[in-house]
Amino acid sequence: SGTISAAGGLSVDGGGDGGEIDISAGTNCQIGGSVGAMSGRPDASGGSINITCGEDETSQTTVTGNVDASGTGSGSDGGLINVDAAGSLSVLGKLLALGAASDGGDIELSSGTTVTTTDTALIRADASGFGSGGSISVAAGTTFLVASTLSASGGANAIDGGDGGSVDLSAAQGCQTTGPLSARGARPNGQGGDISISCGSGSGDHLAVAGAIDVSGAGGSSGGGTITLSADGQIDVQPTLDASGATQGGGSIAISATSDIALSATMTVS
């Protein structure tokens, strides 16, 4: 019921499927070192890692180490990483749910107050080989700042590219992204995925997008994905937004705000 500090390592990597790790604390969590639930043979799946911290909004959860629920044998799907913080959540390390010649897994981050991912963090639910990207979700009770790479892209090979997955970011108040977000489809024919950012519950809330967003489809028979940006206040968009495709056509970009929209971005849906 007190503070948990995992500064060394925890592992339930499997010779087959990865196992399950559950970490729960009544106040604060500090996750350093490595926490692993990776699969260990072909056609298996990564395991699940669940971290639940705090009983009220004063608690703090910090991830500085590597949390990995990837599939490692050929044909292995990524697993699940879930971090649920009653108070603030800060990610400075790596969260990985990668597929190995198979689909990416799922990464879920939620907090009762703020979510911050720094530029040192790396959050990936990518596929490789034939696989499609997994899913990444961030839900903040107040605000979020995403400065890290978030990627749920499809895997590429010479025969069939995987589709992009999904990235879904939401906050009850204002929010900002400065790191790149990706749900690309892979060559030769992967379809772009979906990225959605939704912020605010009042007219004074603000969404600022300063990192590139890519849901493009790669290859000759691909199609672009979907980018959706919405806020109950102002939206500022600076970087490249890419929902381009090939023979299946471009995707879609939708931006809606209850206040001003300031665009200095390059947007592509061709």
Side-chain angles (χ1 to χ4, degrees), residues 66-201:
N66 298 332
V67 180
D68 198 336
S70 297
T72 59
S74 178
S76 297
D77 293 340
L80 168 67
I81 297 172
N82 177 61
V83 184
D84 184 3
S88 65
L89 169 60
S90 299
V91 180
L92 296 81
K94 295 180 180 180
L95 305 179
L96 304 176
L98 306 174
S102 193
D103 297 339
D106 302 299
I107 299 174
E108 303 168 353
L109 307 179
S110 62
S111 83
T113 59
T114 62
V115 176
T116 302
T117 70
T118 69
D119 59 4
T120 63
L122 181 63
I123 301 174
R124 294 178 57 200
D126 298 325
S128 65
F130 291 94
S132 295
S135 69
I136 299 172
S137 66
V138 175
T142 56
T143 66
F144 69 69
L145 167 60
V146 173
S148 63
T149 295
L150 271 60
S151 182
S153 294
N157 64 36
I159 300 172
D160 191 18
D163 297 338
S166 65
V167 177
D168 187 359
L169 312 180
S170 64
Q173 298 177 17
C175 47
Q176 180 179 11
T177 67
T178 60
L181 310 179
S182 176
R184 297 189 309 271
R187 294 184 181 278
N189 57 359
Q191 308 298 303
D194 302 296
I195 294 180
S196 173
I197 307 176
S198 175
C199 299
S201 57

Side-chain angles (χ1 to χ4, degrees), residues 9-33:
L10 300 172
S11 175
V12 289
D13 299 340
D17 293 339
E20 180 175 347
I21 293 176
D22 292 301
I23 299 172
S24 177
T27 53
N28 303 320
C29 288
Q30 300 172 3
I31 309 298

